[in-house]
Amino acid sequence: MQYVAPIGVGLLYALLMSLIREPHRRRFNAVMVAGAGAAYLSGGGLGGWEFAFTAVITYVAYRGLDSWTFIGVAWLLHTGWDIVHHIKGNPIIPFAHTSSLGCAICDPVIALWCFAGGRTPRELVAFVRGARERKGAVAGEAGRVPEPDAGLSGA
C-alpha cells in the first residue's frame, strides 16, 4: 500500500487542481511546487545543499508561472530530492520514515499531468481521442493505394 497510495494522491492532486480555471491553475501549481521545494528546509538534513536546492527549484517554479513544462521539471527535481532524503534517512515528515519515498512516487504522477499541459480530465480525454484520430488518419493515408483515373485508361 505504501507504493499504491502515493499514486492515488498524485491523481487526486491533479483532479482537484483541475477545478481551478486556467491560467490560475498553472500559476497556482507553480507556487505549489515552489513550496514543495522548500519543504525540506526545516529538517536541514543536507545542510547548505538544502538552500541550493531551494534556490534552483524556486527559479524553475518561477519559469513555471508561464510554462507547464517547467512545473513538470520542478516536480521531477523534487522527486530526485525526495530520493536523496529517503536514502539518507532524513524523511520529509520526521515521524513517518517512508514519507520521502511516498513523495518520490507521487511527484512523477503530478509531473506527468503537468507535461500533459495540466489539463482537466475532460480535456485529457479529448486530447487522447484527437491524437488517436490524427494517428488513424495518417496511418490510413499511408496505406492507401491511389485509384486509377477512370477517364484516362484509354478503353
Side-chain angles (χ1 to χ4, degrees), residues 19-153:
L19 298 174
I20 302 172
R21 294 183 187 260
E22 279 289 359
H24 306 295
R25 181 184 322 134
R26 185 185 61 246
R27 293 180 184 137
F28 186 79
N29 275 277
V31 172
M32 288 294 288
V33 76
Y40 286 107
L41 274 178
S42 64
L46 297 176
W49 290 108
E50 301 287 3
F51 291 103
F53 177 75
T54 301
V56 169
I57 206 161
T58 299
Y59 171 75
V60 176
Y62 172 75
R63 295 292 308 269
L65 288 170
D66 295 318
S67 168
W68 279 107
T69 301
F70 275 99
I71 298 170
V73 168
W75 280 114
L76 291 180
L77 287 171
H78 193 262
T79 299
W81 209 237
D82 291 327
I83 292 168
V84 169
H85 277 269
H86 177 70
I87 291 170
K88 188 168 176 4
N90 193 338
I92 194 166
I93 302 172
F95 57 85
H97 298 302
T98 60
S99 59
S100 290
L101 175 63
C103 202
I105 296 169
C106 176
D107 292 352
V109 174
I110 299 169
L112 285 173
W113 175 70
C114 293
F115 288 134
R119 293 177 167 95
T120 66
R122 177 178 284 158
E123 292 167 341
L124 282 172
V125 168
F127 177 75
V128 170
R129 283 185 181 161
R132 285 184 185 162
E133 289 172 6
R134 287 187 299 274
K135 184 179 178 184
V138 172
E141 291 173 5
R144 269 176 68 191
V145 177
E147 296 179 19
D149 290 337
L152 299 177
S153 65

